[in-house]
Amino acid sequence: MKMDIKPIKTESDYAHAMQRLDEIFDASPGTPEGDELEVLGTLIDAYENTQCPIELKEDPIEAIKFKMDQLNYTPLDLAKLIHSKNINEILNRERKLTLKNIRMLSKGLNISADVLIQEY
């Protein structure tokens, strides 16, 4: 399969890139989709850093909610992303993020782990 990747310049490009990222999120490294995932992640990261940077001072839960809003994700979408049934407890600050949650959220929502590991 040939990669059809182009620079992300608009919100529409960004939404399309995020949709494709979601489709290939579980691709294995070294495969064509794994390579596409890596390149697409780099493009998304560059776009987000210029268009909607998340400051380190931001609360991890607020950063997650912000990204959910940007991507039109529901708690169910987020639960699927991190393979957790406890997402509402996390969003309501009743349960702390685990290291596994942080890794999956960092990759899946493109939020810096530095933001996610902060106390809240």
Side-chain angles (χ1 to χ4, degrees):
M1 179 178 151
K2 183 180 174 220
M3 280 191 261
D4 185 27
I5 295 179
K6 61 181 184 171
I8 300 171
K9 298 178 181 178
T10 65
E11 282 294 318
S12 177
D13 292 342
Y14 177 71
H16 178 73
M18 290 303 293
Q19 180 180 2
R20 180 63 182 151
L21 182 77
D22 191 43
E23 292 169 4
I24 62 173
F25 183 73
D26 292 323
S28 299
T31 64
E33 284 189 336
D35 292 345
E36 182 182 1
L37 178 67
E38 188 176 341
V39 172
L40 196 55
T42 301
L43 290 172
I44 290 169
D45 185 50
Y47 179 80
E48 288 178 339
N49 286 336
T50 59
Q51 300 300 314
C52 47
I54 295 177
E55 299 295 325
L56 277 180
K57 65 183 179 189
E58 188 160 5
D59 173 282
I61 302 303
E62 291 305 314
I64 292 167
K65 289 178 178 179
F66 175 77
K67 288 298 250 183
M68 286 176 67
D69 185 55
Q70 279 190 319
L71 301 170
N72 294 320
Y73 273 23
T74 65
L76 181 60
D77 295 325
L78 199 60
K80 289 178 185 177
L81 177 72
I82 67 169
H83 310 291
S84 174
K85 296 177 183 175
N86 303 315
I87 198 64
N88 284 326
E89 291 176 2
I90 292 171
L91 294 174
N92 292 328
R93 303 169 190 272
E94 298 165 2
R95 181 181 294 263
K96 295 285 186 184
L97 290 167
T98 66
L99 183 56
K100 182 179 175 186
N101 296 150
I102 290 169
R103 287 180 178 145
M104 294 178 119
L105 288 166
S106 180
K107 184 175 180 181
L109 296 181
N110 199 27
I111 300 173
S112 168
D114 291 337
V115 171
L116 296 171
I117 63 171
Q118 294 181 90
E119 288 292 325
Y120 61 94

